[in-house]
Amino acid sequence: MRMSKLYLPTLKEDPAEAEVISHKLMLRAGMMRKHSSGIYSYLPLGYRVIKKIEKITRKHMDNSEAQEVLLPIMQTSEIWKDSKRWDKFGPLMIKFNDRKSREYCLGPTHEEVVTDLVRDEVRSYKDLPLNLYQIQTKVRDEIRPRFGVMRGREFIMKDAYSLDTDYQGLDQSYQAMYDAYERIFAECGLEAVAVEADTGAMGGKDSHEFMVLADSGEDEIAFCSHCDYAANVERATSKKTDIDFEVEAELEKIHTPEIKTISELEEYLEVPAAKMIKAVAMVADGEAVLALVSGEDELNEIKLTNYLQANELRAAEEEEFAELFNSVAGFIGPVNLNNVRIVADQRLKNMSGAVVGANEKDYHLKQVKAGRDFEVEAFTDLRSVRGGERCPKCDQGKLNIKDGIEVGHIFKLGTKYSENMGANYLDENGKAQPIVMGSYGIGITRLVAAAIEQNNDQYGIKWPKAIAPYQIIILPLGNDDQVQEKSEEIYQNLKAQGWEVLIDDRSERAGVKFNDSELIGIPLRLTIGSRSLENGVVEAMIRENNKKLEIELDNLEKEVEKLFADIS
Ligand code: ATP
Ligand code: MG
């Protein structure tokens, strides 16, 4: 491709709207442009990268005997009501009516469509197992679209759905996808790790996320320093021990004027946070819930959501303290709190002698004891782990917390969808059984951003060769006829051999060409100038490490092959 013809609007400066490096570079390298918040057009360079990732993904999906289909983006509300997720997905879905007032959504995911498809088609155990996949645009009206394609409202996903007769079959299908995912990410040149994950709105039991470690990642992952335990902090646990409260004394009301937070209380009462109870007022599907964790811990909202089986969980607003809790913000506590569900973290099992809010402005209670002064409906794991805590699996290593980008997610769904939607097959005895399902996603466009996060420097992108938009870029320098002719000849020859080649035939200064080639990150650059031609050589630069070397013109094609083989 000739750069003079390529639609490649590069930018010299970082766009103000972009916070993370991949977003900046995708805009600067002319890979995409924003249409609206979280919605992008992919330009030629960006789309080439996407197509390469799709091709690698297809190869490994096909090799694991998944079959490609294309499912509708526009989905009826009926199937989502059947699966009981029309409300659960809630505002994340774009919903609308057609001219006959029939209700639809734009597909944020396709479990419903697949289950609906097979409930009419799959009759007997002989039709199973099946794994159907597609690569398609998904639409999710994210609350906070950000970081470019990392969290878009419209994005490309590869989604697959396995259908088995039993859980043993599901385990095999799941493992096949797990293995395929490892191959896909490795072939894309990405370092991705599988971690235990929360199942969220999908439901089901086992689940793993594939994470690319990067500072810009929105997820936190706990890794054990000793064994292979790795889990998203959303669900990670640790060997944190119960708190020993020791004291056992009469309930006492204390005046704490304007003292609202745990740290203010620590200072005012000279009691460590570990001896206090943090009471967090939450609203789960409209219902008031008070969550108790140790003063030194953070409430894990995912764990609470899962415990409550809530569709929507949020912090209570200031005015709701009076309305829903009959209490006061900053002074809420579990004692005498009527008609409110109270759930406590399991570390608080022996809770006594604790400090809590008195549900009265400027007052707290001391020496509070669970069971005597109030009841909780359950003690369960509600806290987020912190770095340095002991591993729950080996009990020896310490947990380290790192940031990661979720590029893939696999779930064992079980029979949740098939039961809700009536997708059955007839077993060998002619008895109807629910199909056992799994679901498997890769964020194709997010993966582009993740690859850039992992491979860049101050000059721009350093594409792993498997997903680079072009493999080689030729820079002819100066207007010398000989340089132009030789460059054209090299360009034609390399192309004829099957290389994907860009030639910067623009009449730009050398500096501009160098800068652009580094910005767009083509793995191998060949610079051709009159001096080097006189010496019978071409300057090659490997973008991966910015190493430069001279290669002989006479041997160019062989040398290119050798150099390229060594690039990762
Ligand atoms: P997240 O927790 O990041 O919101 P999710 O867990 O809701 O993602 P899944 O339903 O597991 O996402 O979707 C499968 C994959 O699709 C994710 O692993 C991710 O790579 C990608 N993905 C999900 N949401 C987005 C988005 N808004 N923009 C880009 N990619 C996304
Ligand atoms: Mg996910």
Side-chain angles (χ1 to χ4, degrees), residues 42 52 56 120 154 179 197 212 240 267 282 315 378 407 421:
Y42 302 109
K52 289 212 169 162
I56 293 170
D120 297 330
E154 195 184 284
D179 296 342
V212 166
K240 194 81 183 163
E267 213 171 289
M282 303 294 295
V407 288
M421 298 181 66

Side-chain angles (χ1 to χ4, degrees), residues 54-296:
E54 290 182 351
K55 192 171 168 194
I56 293 170
T57 305
R58 276 200 179 90
K59 179 175 103 183
H60 293 289
M61 293 303 292
D62 292 343
N63 282 345
S64 50
E65 300 200 334
Q67 303 173 51
E68 188 167 6
V69 293
L70 187 60
L71 305 168
I73 299 186
M74 215 169 125
Q75 310 178 1
T76 64
S77 63
E78 280 98 357
I79 57 172
W80 285 84
K81 287 177 181 165
D82 276 0
S83 74
K84 306 193 170 66
R85 287 211 298 180
W86 184 248
D87 293 326
K88 189 152 203 145
F89 254 80
L92 206 58
M93 280 203 283
I94 298 279
K95 298 172 177 176
F96 55 98
N97 293 332
D98 68 7
R99 65 170 82 204
K100 291 180 185 147
S101 303
R102 240 185 125 181
E103 233 175 354
Y104 287 87
C105 69
L106 296 177
T109 178
H110 280 71
E111 281 78 11
E112 280 73 5
V113 169
V114 167
T115 314
D116 176 51
L117 178 76
V118 299
R119 69 176 155 185
D120 297 330
E121 302 295 336
V122 169
R123 307 243 167 264
S124 132
Y125 67 95
K126 290 182 198 143
D127 300 329
L128 299 172
L130 265 184
N131 186 334
L132 303 177
Y133 81 96
Q134 63 168 347
I135 297 181
Q136 196 203 43
T137 296
K138 295 277 185 277
V139 179
R140 292 184 186 180
D141 196 4
E142 299 276 359
I143 305 179
R144 275 214 298 167
R146 58 180 192 157
F147 302 165
V149 293
M150 205 103 93
R151 183 166 300 282
R153 293 198 298 158
E154 195 184 284
F155 56 97
I156 303 174
M157 197 200 287
K158 184 289 297 173
D159 46 327
Y161 306 88
S162 67
L163 307 151
D164 280 278
T165 53
D166 53 23
Y167 279 88
Q168 211 183 339
L170 171 61
D171 288 347
Q172 282 170 12
S173 300
Y174 187 86
Q175 191 60 43
M177 285 294 100
Y178 187 110
D179 296 342
Y181 275 35
E182 291 200 316
R183 288 189 211 109
I184 290 167
F185 298 129
E187 190 168 333
C188 287
L190 274 187
E191 276 175 46
V193 285
V195 311
E196 289 178 20
D198 179 62
T199 50
M202 293 296 170
K205 47 181 199 128
D206 287 350
S207 176
H208 285 88
E209 284 163 339
F210 289 80
M211 293 284 185
V212 166
L213 298 184
D215 291 339
S216 57
E218 293 184 284
D219 283 276
E220 286 187 322
I221 306 140
F223 289 95
C224 175
S225 60
H226 183 74
C227 74
D228 62 357
Y229 180 75
N232 194 315
V233 167
E234 290 178 349
R235 83 166 251 154
T237 57
S238 72
K239 276 273 154 72
K240 194 81 183 163
T241 44
D242 292 353
I243 300 172
D244 183 3
F245 287 91
E246 304 149 10
V247 227
E248 179 90 54
E250 289 288 295
L251 192 67
E252 201 184 310
K253 186 166 161 183
I254 46 172
H255 191 218
T256 49
E258 292 302 321
I259 307 289
K260 295 180 177 175
T261 64
I262 293 283
S263 58
E264 287 165 356
L265 269 174
E266 261 187 298
E267 213 171 289
Y268 189 75
L269 301 175
E270 294 181 356
V271 174
K275 300 270 165 173
M276 296 186 196
I277 308 294
K278 192 184 279 179
V280 192
M282 303 294 295
V283 180
D285 300 329
E287 184 191 17
V289 176
L290 191 71
L292 306 179
V293 294
S294 158
E296 62 172 7

Side-chain angles (χ1 to χ4, degrees), residues 332-348:
I332 196 161
V335 183
N336 295 326
L337 199 69
N338 300 319
N339 303 321
V340 172
R341 292 177 74 176
I342 303 174
V343 199
D345 180 62
Q346 61 194 11
R347 285 189 78 203
L348 303 178

Side-chain angles (χ1 to χ4, degrees), residues 209 406 409 411:
E209 284 163 339
E406 179 195 326
H409 198 167
F411 300 86

